[in-house]
Amino acid sequence: MIGIWANVAAIIVGTVIGWVFKKVLTDKYVATFWTALGLAALGVGAQTVVANLPKSHYPVLFIISLAIGLPVGTWLKLDDRANAWIDRTFHTALGEAVATASFLDCIGALAILGPVNAATTGNQTFLYTNAMLTLVCAIVFGAGFGLGMILEVPVLFIWFTAIYLVAKFLSASFFSPALITEMSIVGGLLIVVASFSLLKIREFKSIDMLPALLVPLLFFIGLAIF
C-alpha cells in the first residue's frame, strides 16, 4: 500500500507548501506545475496503452468501451451532477474546497486503476502518478484555503484503501490478467484525455468518461456467466 501512502503524503506536503509559499505562488508558476504534470500524464497514459494493446485478446473491446461509456456518462450528466452536489451540500468555502479536491484526486482513471493494479500486480505506477497530480492540487488548494485542506486525507485514504482491499480480495477469482489488460487500455486512454485538459489542449468532462471503465468489467462478467 506504499502508493496509497504516497498520495496521503502528497496531500500533507502539498498543503503545507501551498500554505507557506502562498504569497509567491502566482498563477504563472502554478501553470508551469500543471504543464509538467500534463506531460507526465500524457506519457504514462500513452505508455500504458502501447504496453497493453499487444497483450489484448479482445482488440476492439476498448473501442466498444469508449463508444458505450462516453455517451452513457454524458447522458447521466455525471460531471454536472458531481459539481452540483458539491455546490448544494457544502456551504463553507473550506468544505467545498475539500470536496472539490477529493473529487479531483479520487475520481478518475488513475485513482481507480491505481489501487486495483497495486493490489493485483504490485505495480504502483498509477498511484505514484496520481500522487504527483495530488501534490500539485494540494499546493494550489493549500495556497487558497490553508492547512484545513489536510481534511482531505481521510477521504482519500478510505477510498483508495477500500478499492485496494476489494481488488485484493477478488484478485484471484475475478481480476484476471486479461481483465487488468483491458481495463488498463481504456484507463490509459482516459489518462491521455485528462492530460489534454491539464495541457489546455481541450477541456473534457473526465467524470462523464468513467463508465467506459465499467464496460470491460461487465464484458468479463458476461463471459463468466455465459
Side-chain angles (χ1 to χ4, degrees):
M1 293 175 59
I2 187 172
I4 295 176
W5 287 111
N7 280 265
V8 169
I11 294 175
I12 298 173
V13 173
T15 298
V16 172
I17 291 174
W19 177 66
V20 171
F21 295 101
K22 60 183 177 181
K23 291 184 179 180
V24 298
L25 284 174
T26 62
D27 291 344
K28 178 177 66 175
Y29 294 110
V30 170
T32 63
F33 288 149
W34 288 122
T35 299
L37 289 179
L39 292 171
L42 178 61
V44 170
Q47 190 275 337
T48 300
V49 174
V50 171
N52 284 280
L53 266 179
K55 299 186 291 185
S56 174
H57 297 292
Y58 310 96
V60 298
L61 181 57
F62 78 94
I63 301 174
I64 296 172
S65 299
L66 295 173
I68 294 175
L70 272 63
V72 168
T74 301
W75 177 66
L76 293 173
K77 299 180 179 178
L78 297 179
D79 197 277
D80 292 339
R81 290 177 188 274
N83 290 321
W85 178 80
I86 292 174
D87 293 338
R88 184 173 62 252
T89 305
F90 297 94
H91 302 292
T92 65
L94 177 60
E96 185 171 349
V98 170
T100 302
S102 298
F103 267 103
L104 289 173
D105 298 334
C106 298
I107 306 298
L110 284 169
I112 294 173
L113 278 181
V116 171
N117 273 355
T120 56
T121 69
N123 189 333
Q124 307 284 335
T125 302
F126 285 165
L127 280 175
Y128 289 147
T129 305
N130 194 77
M132 291 191 300
L133 294 170
T134 297
L135 178 66
V136 173
C137 282
I139 291 172
V140 174
F141 280 100
F145 299 95
L147 294 178
M149 290 304 302
I150 293 177
L151 291 172
E152 186 198 348
V153 166
V155 177
L156 180 142
F157 181 77
I158 292 171
W159 175 252
F160 278 18
T161 301
I163 296 175
Y164 179 90
L165 292 176
V166 169
K168 195 74 171 178
F169 178 75
L170 296 176
S171 59
S173 58
F174 184 70
F175 284 99
S176 64
L179 173 56
I180 294 299
T181 294
E182 302 304 330
M183 289 185 65
S184 295
I185 294 171
V186 177
L189 289 169
L190 296 188
I191 294 168
V192 170
V193 168
S195 75
F196 290 163
S197 296
L198 290 171
L199 294 170
K200 305 300 182 183
I201 296 174
R202 179 180 171 183
E203 292 294 329
F204 291 94
K205 294 185 176 181
S206 298
I207 297 178
D208 285 351
M209 299 181 179
L210 289 180
L213 279 174
L214 295 177
V215 177
L217 285 171
L218 297 175
F219 175 77
F220 275 81
I221 290 173
L223 287 181
I225 293 175
F226 301 106

